[in-house]
């Protein structure tokens, strides 16, 4: 049986366990977008559990337009030199060469991200082929399970990056949770049809139906700008949060970063979240996501 | 008689679940009072820099030291070992000092150097002849062990599992595997208490 490819699963390999293991270590924490060593240091000092290197924060990508690519190699090296916490970096969807470059730079996690301009309109990276773990975004359970099927070791529900508006992060967290609960109510005879309707690998549908959660850690991202936004994502089931423009587009990034870390840990203690929210100065101004036209949405990239 | 799992940041859920599988009642703890009310403590994996930041001004550090001092079982893994150590390198700072050793952060390298390793250089009395499977994730190394620290397992000669009285420290992640021997060793007293409570 072991010689048959049908029965061999990369999910039980040591390589995959080690990838998910790092994702486990990031739980309860805040992963912060940074564009240089100086910002990375601010993030680490505030208690970030990891930093995400990118060329421009999402709100700048949204404002300036143009093609958004992987961070320059020199910037990634500079950030790796500056901090002792894990360093993640974004590659474009389906950009196999950017992904291999990031792996050769020994980044700790690759985010195959819709925030950058996609390189492939049909395919994502086959992530089991890499030794470095990947995180990918999703708007629903089918998308999450397709990414995990390709080898993602962590999922983040997509918000609408660069807006400072939490509404889409909430929508997609709720959607994924509702769909997972729905699967647990099905009889076995209904599993294959569910897999067909979700467009998701059958074995992963069975796993979720049996366990009621994703087989890899599930974090939230996109539009988190305040300690209360981070606490809300945790209340809705996100195991950790990514914060992009929300920190370095605010009045006092160091103070706000520290406050969001505090609120992410003590999300179920409203008095602690209130105290963390005090005296932070102005947050990022933000854009109401509902005012964006379809072509301006980043979340619809990836499938 | 509940064991507290420090839940500031990291893989505290994996630890809580591993203790539950063993039959040791456990809950996440986030304040000094909750820590002091626990009969034993887990310092989980995660990022030690984030944990230090979340401990500032909370009395948590003193509470952990008190739990260790009064003799309750303390089990530390990976980042938890860094927090527990006397000294830390990479960058240099002082730890809580409940483990008389120096912890060298990221000593194996980055995530590409994380691995599942079979440990065979074991304390026979504690583990018998059966090798231990060990999941190392951006692991630290231990050096400068004090005279009261016993080495229970080594990887390529380096100590990776040590015991100092009631404190057991693993630079890897027994909570991510299925082998209960290390947890049993760390919480033998808590297990005995749980069994006695069940019998009563």
């Amino acid at each position: 049986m072991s010689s048959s490819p049908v029965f061999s699963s990369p999910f039980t390999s040591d390589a995959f366990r080690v990838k998910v293991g790092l994702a486990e270590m990031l739980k309860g924490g805040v992963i912060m977008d940074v564009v240089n060593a100086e910002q990375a240091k601010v993030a680490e000092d505030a208690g970030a559990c990891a930093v995400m290197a990118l060329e421009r924060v999402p709100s700048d990508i949204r404002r300036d337009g143009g093609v958004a690519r992987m961070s320059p190699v020199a910037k990634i090296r500079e950030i790796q030199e500056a901090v002792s916490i894990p360093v993640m970096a974004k590659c474009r969807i389906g950009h196999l060469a950017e992904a291999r470059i990031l792996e050769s730079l020994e980044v700790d996690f690759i985010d195959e991200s819709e925030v950058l301009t996609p390189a492939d309109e049909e395919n994502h990276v086959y992530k089991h082929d890499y030794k470095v773990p990947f995180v990918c975004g999703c708007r629903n359970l089918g998308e999450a399970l397709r990414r995990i099927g390709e080898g993602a070791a962590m999922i983040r529900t997509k918000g609408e990056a660069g807006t400072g508006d939490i509404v889409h992060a909430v929508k997609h967290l709720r959607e994924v949770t509702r769909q997972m609960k729905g699967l647990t109510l099905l009889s076995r005879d209904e599993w294959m049809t569910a897999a067909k309707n979700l467009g998701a690998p059958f074995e992963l549908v069975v796993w979720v139906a049996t366990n009621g959660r994703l087989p890899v850690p599930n974090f939230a991202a996109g539009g988190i700008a305040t300690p209360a936004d981070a606490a809300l994502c945790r209340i809705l089931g996100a195991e950790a949060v990514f914060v992009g423009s929300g920190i370095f587009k605010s009045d006092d990034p160091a103070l706000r970063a520290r406050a969001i870390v505090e609120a992410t840990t003590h999300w179920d203690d409203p008095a602690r979240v209130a105290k963390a929210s005090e005296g932070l100065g102005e947050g990022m101004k933000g854009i109401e996501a509902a005012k964006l036209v379809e072509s301006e949405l980043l979340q619809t990239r990836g499938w | 008689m509940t064991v507290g799992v420090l839940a500031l940041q990291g893989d505290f859920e994996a630890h809580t679940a591993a203790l539950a599988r063993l039959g040791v009642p456990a809950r996440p703890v986030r304040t000094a009072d909750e820590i002091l009310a626990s009969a034993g403590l887990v310092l989980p994996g995660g990022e030690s820099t984030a944990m230090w930041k979340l401990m500032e001004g909370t009395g948590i550090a003193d509470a952990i030291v008190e739990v260790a001092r009064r003799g309750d079982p303390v089990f530390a893994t990976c980042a938890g070992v860094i927090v527990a150590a006397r000294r830390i390198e990479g960058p240099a700072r002082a730890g809580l000092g409940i483990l008389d050793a120096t912890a060298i952060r990221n000593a194996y390298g980055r995530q590409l150097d994380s691995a599942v390793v079979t440990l065979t250089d074991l304390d026979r009395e504690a583990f018998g002849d059966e090798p231990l499977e060990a999941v190392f994730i951006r692991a630290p190394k231990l050096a400068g062990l004090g005279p009261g620290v016993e080495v229970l397992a080594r990887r390529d000669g380096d100590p990776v599992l040590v015991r100092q009285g009631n404190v057991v420290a693993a630079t890897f992640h027994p909570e991510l595997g299925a082998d209960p021997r290390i947890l049993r060793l760390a919480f033998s007293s808590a297990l005995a208490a749980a069994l006695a409570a069940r019998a009563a």
Side-chain angles (χ1 to χ4, degrees), chain A residues 58-69:
Chain A
S59 66
D60 286 342
I61 294 172
R62 190 175 287 291
R63 186 193 63 203
D64 300 338
V67 176
R69 312 182 176 93

Side-chain angles (χ1 to χ4, degrees), chain B residues 27-44:
Chain B
R27 62 164 188 159
V29 291
R30 294 187 177 86
T31 66
D33 288 345
E34 288 171 354
I35 290 166
L36 290 170
S38 303
L41 192 61
V42 173
L43 304 176

Side-chain angles (χ1 to χ4, degrees), chain A residues 39 196 238:
Chain A
Q39 290 187 354
K196 175 185 154 211

